[in-house]
Amino acid sequence: MFNRNVGIILLIALAAGLGLLAAQQVFAPKPPAGQPATEAITLYPQPRALPDYNLTQSDGTRLIPGELKGHWTLVFLGFTFCPDVCPTTLAELAGAQNQWEALPDGLRPRVLFVSVDPERDTATRLGEYAHGFHKDTLAATADIPSLERFATSLGFVFQKVPGKHFDENPEDYTLEHSASLAVLDPQGRLAGLVRPPFNAPAIARDLQKLTEKSAP
């Protein structure tokens, strides 16, 4: 009787496991039509055009929608005084960027670091900070209203948080911000999202596959 009961329990467990596997196959998110399956990137069913934006890059040139066309781009909000999330993320993304270096420059995916701390992040500081992780990283910022519009269009948020001595020292503050990565397609549209924790090799593989798929 004992062996029979054990057998029944094992059969029930096996059936439940097979049922769960089947459900995962049926209900797992599927890539949009025409796009390869991705590991780290969640692609939206339909890319969405971004409203006009006008940021200033670390080299002083303007960053407007047309500047990002032709490449898949990862966009990350942050600031150079960030103690942990920003440097960790940029270091991980540098690992992905190293894997893209074999791709032609005209197709190579981009990483765009957007500072939400224009009060402290001068163009020089921003450029030195971003390029310290990888020479190809783009860096930009703008005034707060422009940054808020840009962040909102990506589904991101940020907020200034004063420190204990802010009244005496106006630079005593930090910034809370979304930690995900926005994915823009070669038309500059919002095409997907990468949520932390990040897996640099998986991100690199995803962007390489998407680049190869969309290459002319």
Side-chain angles (χ1 to χ4, degrees):
M1 180 64 71
F2 175 77
N3 289 338
R4 180 183 177 188
N5 289 339
V6 170
I8 292 172
I9 291 171
L10 290 175
L11 285 174
I12 292 173
L14 177 61
L18 291 173
L20 178 60
L21 179 61
Q24 289 176 335
Q25 295 296 322
V26 171
F27 296 107
K30 293 180 173 57
Q35 296 290 14
T38 52
E39 303 171 62
I41 297 174
T42 300
L43 291 170
Y44 300 141
Q46 291 292 334
R48 177 168 57 82
L50 297 179
D52 287 344
Y53 54 85
N54 193 333
L55 310 179
T56 302
Q57 298 192 76
S58 58
D59 63 1
T61 60
R62 308 305 296 175
L63 182 66
I64 56 179
E67 296 296 317
L68 296 178
K69 289 188 176 180
H71 305 256
W72 286 87
T73 304
L74 297 175
V75 184
F76 174 61
L77 300 187
F79 60 113
T80 67
F81 287 83
C82 179
D84 42 36
V85 174
C86 302
T88 299
T89 299
L90 288 171
E92 290 171 339
L93 291 179
Q97 289 170 285
N98 289 336
Q99 295 186 53
W100 300 329
E101 288 182 352
L103 294 172
D105 182 61
L107 298 175
R108 193 177 302 154
R110 293 174 171 176
V111 171
L112 170 61
F113 176 64
V114 178
S115 171
V116 292
D117 188 12
E119 294 179 48
R120 295 181 295 191
D121 287 345
T122 64
T124 300
R125 178 180 176 85
L126 186 55
E128 290 176 349
Y129 181 82
H131 297 151
F133 293 95
H134 197 281
K135 60 182 177 59
D136 292 339
T137 300
L138 302 175
T141 190
D143 56 68
I144 294 298
S146 297
L147 289 169
E148 288 176 339
R149 288 192 295 271
F150 182 67
T152 299
S153 71
L154 300 176
F156 292 167
V157 295
F158 66 91
Q159 180 180 1
K160 185 176 183 178
V161 181
K164 293 181 180 179
H165 306 292
F166 181 74
D167 290 340
E168 297 83 30
N169 177 14
E171 291 197 0
D172 179 26
Y173 64 88
T174 188
L175 287 136
E176 295 179 349
H177 57 86
S178 299
S180 295
L181 308 174
V183 181
L184 307 186
D185 68 12
Q187 287 72 49
R189 301 173 300 182
L190 181 61
L193 185 73
V194 185
R195 295 182 177 86
F198 302 124
N199 182 330
I203 292 173
R205 288 190 294 270
D206 284 353
L207 266 296
Q208 183 142 359
K209 287 191 291 186
L210 291 169
T211 296
E212 292 170 352
K213 181 69 177 179
S214 62

